[in-house]
Amino acid sequence: MFFPKLDKQSLTDGIVIPQMVKVHQSFPHTDLADPVGVLKKQLLALDTATTEALKGKRIGITAGSRGLPHYKEIMKALCDQLKTWGAKPFVFPAMGSHAGATAEGQKEHLAQFGINEDYLGVPVLSTMDVVEVATLEDGFPVYCDKNAYEADGIILFNKIKPHTHFKYKHESGLLKMICIGCGKHKGASTFHGRGYDSFGPNLERVSKAFLQHVNVVFSVGMVQSPSDDIAALEVIPTDKFFERDAALQTMAKAEMPRLKLPHIDVLIVDEIGKEISGTGMDPNITGRTERFSQETAFRALAPDIERIVILDITEASHGNGAGCGMADIVSYRFVNKMDFSSAYTNCITAKSFRMALLPLYGNSDKDAIEMAMAHAFLTDPNQAKVVRIKNTLKLEDIECSLSCLEDIKNDPDMTVTSEPFTWKFNEEDNLW
């Protein structure tokens, strides 16, 4: 599908994009110096009854769709240690409906992170087939990836972080890897069909049933730091599964970066993508969620943002621009990169239709930014507080317009790191 440049009246006459400064936001955090070493040490500390029982057993390891620090190295360390113990490991995609909800697409999605058979030295088995392993009292079915269910056991590996649609003691983490990841497209669609207001309690109910019918040998949970590294990594025995997932969720919320300015007229997001957030850009950062019932909780976490402009979709997202529905304007580049089939499959599965709604689009980056400034409800649009970020994961170094300087001076965790400068647009009026 091709979207043309529009002959339109955008009411942008007289708009001048302001000078910017580079700003560093400081977040208190610690990064693991050697996360793979931490993993190996904890694996070797597991009780011998657990490790000796693995000899000769086929063990599946979950691999999700998010881009993670040291992702392939962690997966290889897991596979290598299992082989040392005499197990026969394999990796399987556990990502619900992501990557077009096809077995081939999900295997290719992992390969772009370096997670493939050549690197890992183990099979990567991808299927969309599932087995119904249990049914709850109210008829809620519990599903598991067929390859994983037919194995002797599985290891759950996932990042633990705040969810993008609801708030609870368990959000996006190991429980979600069971319910959505291992459940594949069918499980994800069934689970999301119960609604987000009951998502947290349902994660607990379904996970408890799953653990009664599937042998989870142990789990590995990690928390990402504001510097886009790993703040914590923990090998979790199954008898501590719920306790440690909740504890790491609390840590993840404390480690979560944010935009520290109290008000932003125009937020420019260079890129969104499924490896960044399930919603392309994280509502924990923007305050924008499609769930009206959860809106107050998310807005409390973010600045007051008047307009959001998105300029691009990451290559790793393969055109899945789900999340654009929470923006006001997208670029010409963005709208012509959007794979509507992939985005619609994802959003229909998640029952999140608004995430794929297409906003207004500009004829260029410059046009999109000028439109946002002109329509940010300001007496003088040229005094707009404009902020630019790469994506909602990378928030330590941002760009702010000069109108933000007073707010920056009032926050000891924000430091101006450059002289004022003017953005340079290319011959197509794009920033790159």
Side-chain angles (χ1 to χ4, degrees), residues 21-261:
V21 290
K22 294 183 183 295
V23 175
H24 181 75
Q25 297 193 126
S26 298
F27 304 100
H29 69 279
T30 55
D31 294 337
L32 296 179
D34 180 14
V36 174
V38 170
L39 172 66
K40 290 178 179 178
K41 183 177 180 180
Q42 292 191 32
L43 289 173
L44 293 175
L46 286 169
D47 64 277
T48 54
T50 296
T51 59
E52 289 178 357
L54 294 172
K55 189 173 183 178
K57 301 295 178 63
R58 292 184 67 247
I59 305 297
I61 307 170
T62 64
S65 62
R66 305 283 183 261
L68 307 173
H70 314 285
Y71 194 179
K72 67 177 184 178
E73 293 84 2
I74 289 171
M75 293 296 288
K76 182 168 176 55
L78 267 172
C79 293
D80 288 349
Q81 187 58 59
L82 285 167
K83 288 191 287 186
T84 298
W85 286 328
K88 301 174 182 178
F90 66 90
V91 169
F92 67 98
M95 57 182 76
S97 67
H98 293 181
T102 68
E104 297 78 11
Q106 294 196 344
K107 189 170 184 177
E108 289 173 4
H109 189 84
L110 291 180
Q112 70 188 329
F113 301 128
I115 298 172
N116 56 56
E117 295 170 351
D118 289 341
Y119 177 74
L120 298 177
V122 305
V124 177
L125 305 181
S126 185
T127 181
M128 299 309 293
D129 294 337
V130 293
V131 174
E132 185 174 336
V133 301
T135 305
L136 304 187
E137 291 181 357
D138 60 356
F140 200 141
V142 179
Y143 296 104
C144 181
D145 175 289
K146 188 173 186 291
N147 290 321
Y149 183 73
E150 292 175 350
D152 297 302
I154 68 171
I155 294 169
L156 299 167
F157 168 59
N158 202 21
K159 176 168 73 173
I160 296 172
K161 70 178 189 67
H163 199 275
T164 55
H165 284 87
F166 71 95
K167 295 296 162 201
Y168 194 67
K169 61 183 176 180
H170 302 290
E171 294 184 20
S172 186
L174 297 171
L175 279 71
K176 188 186 172 194
M177 181 54 79
I178 285 177
C179 302
I180 308 299
C182 293
K184 313 298 286 193
H185 187 192
K186 189 170 184 178
S189 182
T190 300
F191 198 93
H192 284 97
R194 298 295 179 114
Y196 286 102
D197 291 342
S198 58
F199 211 97
N202 282 338
L203 285 176
E204 289 182 305
R205 296 198 307 134
V206 171
S207 294
K208 286 176 181 176
F210 185 94
L211 293 175
Q212 290 173 357
H213 294 85
V214 177
N215 177 29
V216 174
V217 182
F218 58 83
S219 302
V220 179
M222 58 158 281
V223 174
Q224 204 160 344
S225 73
S227 62
D228 198 26
D229 213 310
I230 297 180
L233 189 147
E234 187 172 324
V235 175
I236 303 170
T238 302
D239 62 353
K240 301 288 186 183
F241 181 77
F242 294 98
E243 172 190 335
R244 296 312 303 160
D245 181 88
L248 290 172
Q249 179 63 227
T250 299
M251 176 187 287
K253 289 174 179 174
E255 289 280 340
M256 184 180 68
R258 61 187 180 89
L259 291 166
K260 291 178 173 288
L261 293 166

